[in-house]
Amino acid sequence: DAGVIQSPRHEVTEMGQEVTLRCKPISGHDYLFWYRQTMMRGLELLIYFNNNVPIDDSGMPEDRFSAKMPNASFSTLKIQPSEPRDSAVYFCASSLLGSPLHFGNGTRLTVT
Amino acid sequence: KNEVEQSPQNLTAQEGEFITINCSYSVGISALHWLQQHPGGGIVSLFMLSSGKKKHGRLIATINIQEKHSSLHITASHPRDSAVYICAAWYNNNDMRFGAGTRLTVKP
């Protein structure tokens, strides 16, 4: 299995632009998580899905952030408009119920 | 309030030493994860546990539900164990909180 695949690996954009991060979970996994990691705040859970349905998005920082999972093999995290404080590494992870998390390699986002 | 406290923040050891990293959490978790993040940034899940003890190779994770405390032990540490170790508590209210991480350096 290829593991959790995230794209792009790096994204540099200007303030105000829309950013879309993508994630392909491991086939068969029914949970998908989006996390953000910064030096100041460490790792934070943004949102997670179960069977493609968003279960808890209380970690999403504000309305500029949105996430979708149109099918079991694809999810997106969108920031519109982006701001410099959104600069971070964004991780996607997937799992089966009661099983360990499998992380993607992350997307390093820089907003200038 | 769902908190996770990890200690120590930094740890330097000599190769071969026994290492312990501690994690305390608030009441009401359903599972606790131990993660390893290497300098390249990738994150690997080491353990997920809700009770007792788990072992994988030189790594051992324990959890004490009554004391709301978990430990990660590394026996016969090796320089390749150098990484940041993060504990994460999955709370019953669907909240997941992370410790600040322990940066481990094992010197040859």
Side-chain angles (χ1 to χ4, degrees):
Chain A
D1 198 320
V4 176
I5 299 172
Q6 288 187 248
S7 64
R9 287 299 308 274
H10 302 273
E11 176 81 33
V12 180
T13 191
E14 292 183 348
M15 185 175 69
Q17 296 297 308
E18 178 179 293
V19 174
T20 300
L21 311 181
R22 297 173 176 80
C23 177
K24 177 179 167 55
I26 292 173
S27 177
H29 281 189
D30 53 359
Y31 283 84
L32 183 140
F33 303 81
W34 282 102
Y35 301 94
R36 178 173 68 175
Q37 186 177 38
T38 61
M39 289 293 292
M40 289 293 292
R41 300 172 66 92
L43 269 167
E44 301 172 283
L45 174 63
L46 299 177
I47 185 171
Y48 77 96
F49 297 82
N50 177 220
N51 292 322
N52 313 339
V53 177
I55 302 301
D56 192 301
D57 65 354
S58 58
M60 296 284 261
E62 46 196 276
D63 292 345
R64 297 183 297 105
F65 286 69
S66 63
K68 294 182 180 179
M69 192 165 186
N71 57 62
S73 58
F74 184 66
S75 177
T76 59
L77 177 68
K78 188 173 292 188
I79 308 173
Q80 166 64 18
S82 57
E83 297 183 3
R85 60 194 167 118
D86 302 330
S87 298
V89 180
Y90 291 82
F91 288 98
C92 174
S94 71
S95 74
L96 289 167
L97 178 64
S99 296
L101 298 164
H102 295 258
F103 285 80
N105 288 327
T107 295
R108 182 174 296 276
L109 173 65
T110 303
V111 183
T112 60
Chain B
K1 192 175 179 184
N2 299 340
E3 298 286 352
V4 177
E5 299 286 338
Q6 229 182 292
S7 64
Q9 191 173 3
N10 293 285
L11 181 56
T12 300
Q14 287 297 131
E15 183 173 355
E17 286 186 1
F18 181 83
I19 287 161
T20 296
I21 300 170
N22 297 299
C23 178
S24 297
Y25 52 87
S26 309
V27 67
I29 71 165
S30 57
L32 188 122
H33 298 257
W34 281 101
L35 311 174
Q36 180 190 54
Q37 186 168 31
H38 275 280
I43 299 175
V44 175
S45 178
L46 299 175
F47 296 102
M48 187 186 78
L49 64 166
S50 54
S51 65
K53 173 180 173 179
K54 288 190 176 180
K55 185 176 189 293
H56 185 243
R58 296 180 294 105
L59 302 178
I60 302 167
T62 64
I63 189 168
N64 185 316
I65 301 299
Q66 286 73 30
E67 296 186 3
K68 300 188 288 293
H69 180 268
S70 177
S71 293
L72 177 68
H73 305 285
I74 305 175
T75 61
S77 59
H78 190 276
R80 64 174 175 267
D81 298 326
S82 298
V84 176
Y85 293 83
I86 302 168
C87 70
W90 183 252
Y91 284 90
N92 293 330
N93 62 350
N94 295 327
D95 188 17
M96 191 172 198
R97 294 297 177 106
F98 295 85
T102 295
R103 184 174 298 277
L104 171 66
T105 303
V106 182
K107 295 184 175 180

